[in-house]
Amino acid sequence: MILVKSNSQIAEMRKANIIVRDTLNLLRDHTKPGVSTLELNKLAHEYITSQNAIPSFLNYNGYPASICVSIDCEVVHGIPSKRKILQEGQIVSYDVGAIYNGWNGDAARTVAVGIITPEVQRLVDVTEQCFFEGVKCIKPGVTRLGDLGHTIQTHAESNGYGVVRELVGHGIGRDMHEDPDVPNYGIAGHGMRLSVGMTIAIEPMITMGTYEVDWMSDGWTVKTKDRKPASHYENTIAITDNGVEILSL
């Protein structure tokens, strides 16, 4: 069931997403070689709670940390650990969620650790472009989910990259995951229409090689099957009478 939000409810979601945005900026500023992912998790947890918010990932279906930290070929859901130390030349994807006054925010960014190769930087850049190309195609009451997914898929694949199929974006509001599923691939003209009052998390997960993935034995971490790098970029958006508002930007 699609839960349409009022303007006042979207205003509450905006507050949660500002906390998420600022947490991601904090993580970016502390991304450097030698830092453990557990340290970064602690930093994010302390900031989110200092804002009278709750880290929405912590204990979600048993997830053991406050953020997801995924390195290189880890697509999503990497679990922070004192043994996972950032190294020069890696890329790291931070996925952050926060609950404020009962409303959820959710966003993700992929960040370079020191200097990375031009090839990997291009992957990161195109992944971000995929999100904004998707947003540009949204016309309230006209655009369908298939149009959004097709736009993202076309941009990624035209640049030679894979689009993960097993993981998708989602509706968001009082619950972190609500209807509808929001794939990053699709057939233009198919699927439900995106209408005013919908709030969704659009999150391209783009790979340098195959779009196929493996689930690790920890039950959470997802890696590319060919172990080539992956990039993740996400924002929560609201569809309003004035168009699309990116709440976590």
Side-chain angles (χ1 to χ4, degrees):
M1 180 175 65
I2 308 298
L3 300 175
V4 174
K5 314 304 189 302
S6 66
N7 288 338
S8 62
Q9 290 171 329
I10 291 172
E12 289 300 307
M13 290 186 65
R14 190 179 296 116
K15 296 172 186 176
N17 279 284
I18 287 171
I19 294 169
V20 168
R21 177 202 67 191
D22 292 346
T23 304
L24 286 165
N25 289 340
L26 185 66
L27 289 166
R28 178 200 62 204
D29 293 345
H30 284 79
T31 299
K32 60 184 179 180
V35 175
S36 78
T37 58
L38 191 63
E39 290 177 68
L40 293 163
N41 180 77
K42 182 174 183 288
L43 181 74
H45 181 92
E46 290 178 348
Y47 180 76
I48 292 169
T49 55
S50 76
Q51 302 303 302
N52 297 313
I54 300 168
S56 50
F57 296 171
L58 183 61
N59 299 319
Y60 183 83
N61 290 337
Y63 185 74
S66 294
I67 61 172
C68 299
V69 186
S70 306
I71 299 172
D72 285 343
C73 70
E74 295 175 347
V75 182
V76 287
H77 305 161
I79 300 173
S81 166
K82 65 181 179 182
R83 290 183 292 276
K84 287 176 70 174
I85 310 295
L86 298 186
Q87 306 291 331
E88 179 81 23
Q90 292 178 327
I91 53 173
V92 54
S93 297
Y94 299 116
D95 196 352
V96 174
I99 305 168
Y100 184 79
N101 284 345
W103 293 93
N104 278 270
D106 188 12
R109 302 285 186 270
T110 298
V111 179
V113 183
I115 298 173
I116 61 175
T117 67
E119 292 79 11
V120 175
Q121 184 62 58
R122 182 170 176 270
L123 170 68
V124 174
D125 293 342
V126 169
T127 303
E128 182 174 341
Q129 291 166 14
C130 283
F131 170 84
F132 287 101
E133 289 297 315
V135 167
K136 283 195 299 186
C137 89
I138 297 175
K139 295 179 175 58
V142 176
T143 304
R144 296 179 179 272
L145 276 173
D147 301 325
L148 173 60
H150 178 75
T151 299
I152 293 170
Q153 179 181 7
T154 298
H155 190 72
E157 292 180 348
S158 68
N159 281 279
Y161 298 127
V163 179
V164 172
R165 306 293 203 273
E166 290 189 40
L167 301 144
V168 298
H170 51 91
I172 184 171
R174 287 200 177 276
D175 292 324
M176 183 164 62
H177 292 104
E178 298 181 351
D179 291 333
D181 286 344
V182 183
N184 298 303
Y185 57 93
I187 300 172
H190 287 243
M192 66 172 295
R193 295 186 191 277
L194 299 173
S195 58
V196 171
M198 291 180 64
T199 50
I200 59 175
I202 302 172
E203 48 179 318
M205 289 160 272
I206 308 301
T207 65
M208 191 167 278
T210 180
Y211 63 77
E212 296 180 305
V213 297
D214 290 329
W215 297 76
M216 299 296 100
S217 60
D218 61 20
W220 286 101
T221 307
V222 179
K223 294 185 179 182
T224 55
K225 188 172 284 293
D226 57 14
R227 301 302 190 262
K228 291 184 179 180
S231 180
H232 184 198
Y233 187 90
E234 175 186 20
N235 284 301
T236 297
I237 72 160
I239 301 173
T240 74
D241 290 319
N242 297 318
V244 175
E245 179 183 353
I246 304 173
L247 301 178
S248 50
L249 193 63

